[in-house]
Amino acid sequence: MDRDSIGKLFQAAVGGDAAAWKALVEGLSPLVWSVVRAHGLTEADGQEVYQTTWFRFAQHLRRIREPEKAGSWLASTARHECLKVIKAARRLAPTDDPEVLDRAGDDRTPEQSVIDSEEAAAEAERVRQVWRAFQELGENCRRLLRVLMASPPPSYQEVSAALGIAVGSIGPIRQRCLRRLRTHLAEQGIR
């Protein structure tokens, strides 16, 4: 979807057009899912973030001043919701569940648990660095790569229709964008 069509659908949705709302959801859902998946949430947490993102969008529909940037608004909201879930998961929750409290069921030593925790924290930091590098890309690169990361992956014809890029240009543009991303990552010392 290009910005103009997003803006028109957005205005129609604000006016109560259910078909426009449905088209917005169908057209921008892959973007929301790509952000959710990029944060590595569980399926249940991912579903929750997806629903919360659309709920927040519906709540703020009349307050969004730049309708053509609805995709950016959704991506940013999805990212914030993902970070909330990740932060909440780090908190310890008291339990009286004997299976959770039974250390005999866990084959890891306390040392291995610490190592695993440190490795998970390092991986989470690496993901944050990759997304920071991703944010340094231009808007066109970010839009293209987000669309291409959607699951299931769209065909080049769908990408062309959504972004207004000639089918034959998608691959070369994608390569340039990925090259820029690698450069940003290298500048941060990430391989």
Side-chain angles (χ1 to χ4, degrees):
M1 296 180 97
D2 63 19
R3 285 186 172 199
D4 288 337
S5 62
I6 290 172
K8 288 175 186 171
L9 287 171
F10 182 92
Q11 292 298 343
V14 169
D17 184 342
W21 177 257
K22 182 178 179 186
L24 271 175
V25 172
E26 288 175 357
L28 295 174
S29 283
L31 170 65
V32 175
W33 276 117
S34 69
V35 173
V36 171
R37 285 189 186 97
H39 286 82
L41 302 178
T42 65
E43 181 67 26
D45 287 341
Q47 289 282 344
E48 182 69 25
V49 166
Y50 174 82
Q51 291 174 6
T52 301
T53 300
W54 283 106
F55 176 73
R56 299 242 185 276
F57 185 69
Q59 275 183 318
H60 294 91
L61 204 59
R62 297 189 187 281
R63 288 187 263 173
I64 296 174
R65 287 179 272 198
E66 297 179 86
E68 68 280 356
K69 294 185 179 178
S72 298
W73 193 98
L74 284 164
S76 178
T77 302
R79 180 179 171 276
H80 289 295
E81 292 300 324
C82 287
L83 295 176
K84 282 184 195 176
V85 169
I86 290 168
K87 185 177 179 181
R90 289 186 187 144
R91 295 185 188 127
L92 295 178
T95 183
D96 60 356
D97 183 352
E99 290 183 25
V100 172
L101 297 173
D102 182 18
R103 292 288 301 172
D106 188 356
D107 294 338
R108 299 180 305 164
T109 64
E111 293 82 9
Q112 186 61 46
S113 295
V114 169
I115 291 169
D116 291 347
S117 174
E118 288 173 351
E119 288 173 355
E123 180 60 23
E125 178 58 27
R126 185 175 188 286
V127 168
R128 282 190 292 278
Q129 290 173 326
V130 169
W131 278 107
R132 276 195 296 265
F134 184 83
Q135 294 302 327
E136 291 177 20
L137 296 173
E139 176 66 24
N140 291 338
C141 278
R142 289 194 312 260
R143 285 178 59 211
L144 176 63
L145 293 176
R146 278 190 183 117
V147 169
L148 291 172
M149 287 188 293
S151 180
S155 69
Y156 273 20
Q157 288 77 16
E158 292 170 321
V159 173
S160 174
L163 300 179
I165 300 172
V167 172
S169 298
I170 295 171
I173 293 171
R174 176 181 165 266
Q175 288 176 343
R176 284 193 297 274
C177 292
L178 290 174
R179 197 174 311 120
R180 287 183 196 134
L181 181 59
R182 282 187 209 101
T183 300
H184 290 311
L185 290 171
E187 289 170 357
Q188 292 182 22
I190 302 169
R191 292 190 270 164

